[in-house]
Amino acid sequence: GTLGGLGLALGLWRRQAALAAAREDEEEKELRQRFMAPPVSGLRELRRRRRELRSRMELLIMETQAEMCRALADLDPGASFAVDSWERKEGGGGISCVLQDGEVFEKAGVNVSVVSGLLSEEAARQMRSRGKSLKAKDGKLPFCAMGVSSVIHPKNPHVPTMHFNYRYFEIEEADGTKQWWFGGGTDLTPTYLNEEDAVHFHKTLKEACDKHDLKLYPKYKKWCDDYFYIKHRGERRGIGGIFFDDVDSPSKEEVFQFVKSCAKAVVPCYIPIVKKHCHDSFTPEEKLWQQLRRGRYVEFNLVYDRGTKFGLLTPGSRIESILMSLPLTARWEYMHNPPESSKEAEILEVLRNPKDWVH
């Protein structure tokens, strides 16, 4: 009787194991279809550590990348994303998805990176300069960083450029304690001002913030206006959105849930604006103004943007992915000034004096 019972139990266990394996394979297949490419950490590893925040964040950035790429591809069916998985010899890697020379988008990139290793001295200095106290062991600071980053440059000057980035950072100090924080944001850079679009964009981001705390949107909207400031021009890069960095309270879970709400808002805040304007007619003069505004975009990214600087200071980082944010074409004219009371002067006024779009 005992042997018979053991045989039954063994048979049942085998059946359950086979079912579990089949379920795992199914889950893996479904995940693979959901993403643009296999995740950097590998599906098995992510599933094994699925309760850990690092794994959940990696799944979130992979999903955000796929959602945005599919939404963009639907609007530009003649174009396709080049999907490029890359490895970093110092640890980790990433997936770059870039669409170029489409009908609607001149250049659209959505990148994911998951990197680890030792923080370079320059990168550590940059962090300390913003108030981080980092205690290195023998001058070494192990770190792990992951994020999704996107810049979309449309062809039509009546469709705004959009940027978003959501990231997580972890550093292990000399005594083994871990410092962690989240950063990110979503912002809009129109060539011409459309108040209705500006309100829609800001309202969608405000709703995402308000689910967590009513103080977040005004705080992060101001941070965005202050951060994307081209000091040497005395103007903002665009009409803002939200931006935050070094956020490590109230708790890891609460900040993660907030970041998730923001990431889920990127498609609804932007795609309706593209749909609305991608077939608008435009003049050669309007195209020229777009090229000049793109020049400003480049100036901000190369002179001030912290993410670009961090990437360029990190050994083994992938330059092509870091500079994906730059437009395919831009223009710098000597002493260009738009006529007073023109549509071009109208956007400059808003870039010099940010507006409250939601009240």
Side-chain angles (χ1 to χ4, degrees), residues 238-295:
I239 60 158
I242 56 170
F243 179 85
F244 55 91
D245 207 354
D246 301 331
V247 178
D248 57 6
S249 66
S251 72
K252 206 183 255 193
E253 184 59 34
E254 282 169 283
V255 187
F256 173 70
Q257 290 301 334
F258 164 66
V259 167
K260 190 173 179 177
S261 295
C262 294
K264 294 289 170 204
V266 292
V267 168
C269 76
Y270 181 60
I271 295 298
I273 298 174
V274 183
K275 277 185 181 159
K276 184 174 151 191
H277 297 291
C278 63
H279 300 301
D280 288 4
S281 61
F282 59 89
T283 65
E285 291 74 27
E286 287 170 332
K287 187 69 188 169
L288 176 71
W289 178 243
Q290 181 196 45
Q291 296 292 289
L292 291 164
R293 295 313 308 162
R294 287 214 188 129

Side-chain angles (χ1 to χ4, degrees), residues 166-183:
Y166 290 98
R167 58 193 180 276
Y168 172 70
F169 221 96
E170 209 174 80
I171 285 182
E172 195 174 317
E173 294 191 274
D175 59 2
T177 57
K178 281 183 181 168
Q179 274 204 52
W180 59 269
W181 63 89
F182 289 88

Side-chain angles (χ1 to χ4, degrees), residues 297-311:
Y297 202 92
V298 172
E299 286 177 29
F300 177 84
N301 281 28
L302 293 184
V303 178
Y304 300 112
D305 188 65
R306 239 174 23 219
T308 306
K309 282 184 178 174
F310 177 79

Side-chain angles (χ1 to χ4, degrees), residues 2 43 57 65 68 85 135 148 150 158 183 193 208 235 285 302 308 312 315-316 319 328 351:
T2 310
L43 286 169
M57 183 66 181
Q65 180 185 49
M68 193 46 142
S85 295
K135 295 181 281 295
V148 57
S150 174
H158 298 294
L193 184 64
E235 62 192 43
E285 291 74 27
L302 293 184
T308 306
L312 296 173
I319 302 303
L328 213 51
L351 299 178

Side-chain angles (χ1 to χ4, degrees), residues 83-104:
V83 179
D84 194 4
S85 295
W86 50 274
E87 280 183 21
R88 177 175 171 270
K89 69 176 193 301
E90 292 83 356
I95 302 142
S96 298
C97 297
V98 181
L99 180 157
Q100 265 178 191
D101 270 328
E103 285 298 306
V104 175

